């Protein structure tokens, strides 16, 4: 951790120590709502992203159908 981030963390900790229980609960609940919203957005993004060997943990060999279809398309082009 850098010196600036350590100082920033210490200042934040000092500020948190001065907050009331009610204020802390409000912060925690607000953060919880934000985390839920971000998790939903992440799931939506994952659903939209096409999965293949380059963008997932799937092995590239599972992309053979797509590669062969692309190769067939490239072979059908006339040379210039």
């Amino acid at each position: 951790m850098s010196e600036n981030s350590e100082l920033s963390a210490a200042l934040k900790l000092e500020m948190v120590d001065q907050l009331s229980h009610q204020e802390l609960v409000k912060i925690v609940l607000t953060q919880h709502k934000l985390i839920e919203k971000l998790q939903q957005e992440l799931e939506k993004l994952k659903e939209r992203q096409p999965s293949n060997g380059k963008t997932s943990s799937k092995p590239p060999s599972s992309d053979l159908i797509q590669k062969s279809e692309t190769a067939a398309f490239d072979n059908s082009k006339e040379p210039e």
Side-chain angles (χ1 to χ4, degrees):
M1 200 182 273
S2 71
E3 188 174 323
N4 283 340
S5 59
E6 287 178 15
L7 179 59
S8 178
L11 290 173
K12 289 179 185 177
L13 183 59
E14 185 177 310
M15 290 172 45
V16 169
D17 285 340
Q18 296 175 6
L19 295 174
S20 71
H21 176 71
Q22 186 176 3
E23 291 169 319
L24 291 172
V25 169
K26 184 177 178 181
I27 290 170
V28 169
L29 293 174
T30 302
Q31 290 177 340
H32 179 71
K33 287 179 185 178
L34 177 61
I35 290 169
E36 285 181 334
K37 180 181 175 185
L38 291 172
Q39 286 174 330
Q40 290 172 354
E41 288 181 30
L42 180 61
E43 289 303 315
K44 287 179 186 177
L45 290 172
K46 284 180 179 180
E47 289 172 3
R48 287 191 343 195
Q49 181 181 17
S51 292
N52 61 38
K54 292 181 181 179
T55 61
S56 73
S57 60
K58 290 170 53 177
S61 60
S62 65
D63 297 338
L64 290 177
I65 294 173
Q66 291 176 342
K67 289 179 184 177
S68 63
E69 288 172 357
T70 304
F73 178 74
D74 289 341
N75 290 337
S76 66
K77 290 183 182 177
E78 293 181 26
E80 294 178 18

